[in-house]
Amino acid sequence: MQGSFAVIVFLILSVLLNHTITSATPLSFLFSFCIIVLGYLISFTLKFLLGLSAFWVTDFRGIQQIADVLLLILAGFIMPISLFPPLVEYIALLTPFPYMVYFPVISLQGELFPFQQIQVITVQLVWLSILFLAYKVMWRSGIKKFTGVGQ
């Protein structure tokens, strides 16, 4: 919900400040839209997985806070990932976090060429598949644990 408000505010400010979205071609804009949608799906699936951890722990706020801190650092909220030291940048790119926030933003800014956008979409699809498989495994084992206890 917060993300949709952010998109609405971004579009309103773009119109009011007479700033255009800098994606060069309609194809590039379409790729940017796909990257944004896939970023939302990755974010939703990851948050859903964090919620499923409640099958095993009674208080999952600590897990959620760790995920929030990792998101702040590795998704480019604090500073762009391209400004990180090479090792930290490499580690960040191995996580799903930049594909939820950083790449949708720079794609919408027009900083990615179409072939780079296709690469980002491919990696996002891989992360979405991994997280979806993790969801299936966690859901099945969580249901077994929940019904095995008799609750």
Side-chain angles (χ1 to χ4, degrees):
M1 185 61 112
Q2 292 173 341
S4 60
F5 291 142
V7 170
I8 292 169
V9 169
F10 172 77
L11 291 175
I12 290 171
L13 289 177
S14 293
V15 170
L16 291 177
L17 298 175
N18 198 18
H19 185 283
T20 59
I21 298 172
T22 59
S23 296
T25 64
L27 181 63
S28 181
F29 184 75
L30 178 65
F31 286 154
S32 294
F33 180 75
C34 289
I35 290 172
I36 290 168
V37 169
L38 287 170
Y40 278 127
L41 290 174
I42 291 170
S43 177
F44 174 79
T45 309
L46 185 65
K47 295 291 184 174
F48 196 82
L49 284 171
L50 292 174
L52 286 179
S53 68
F55 277 126
W56 293 274
V57 296
T58 55
D59 185 13
F60 74 99
R61 285 182 292 174
I63 296 170
Q64 185 179 11
Q65 289 173 353
I66 289 171
D68 289 342
V69 168
L70 288 174
L71 181 70
L72 280 173
I73 295 169
L74 300 177
F77 279 112
I78 295 176
M79 65 186 230
I81 294 174
S82 59
L83 298 178
F84 284 171
L87 178 63
V88 178
E89 180 180 4
Y90 178 75
I91 291 170
L93 293 176
L94 292 177
T95 67
F97 300 113
Y99 299 97
M100 296 185 319
V101 178
Y102 178 70
F103 285 111
V105 169
I106 65 170
S107 177
L108 198 57
Q109 289 176 337
E111 294 183 20
L112 295 176
F113 295 111
F115 72 90
Q116 292 172 317
Q117 289 176 317
I118 292 171
Q119 289 175 336
V120 169
I121 289 171
T122 304
V123 174
Q124 284 180 315
L125 288 172
V126 167
W127 270 115
L128 193 57
S129 300
I130 290 169
L131 293 172
F132 183 74
L133 289 174
Y135 150 74
K136 294 294 257 184
V137 169
M138 285 182 69
W139 179 257
R140 284 189 192 127
S141 62
I143 290 295
K144 284 180 186 176
K145 178 177 174 40
F146 189 73
T147 56
V149 175
Q151 296 178 351

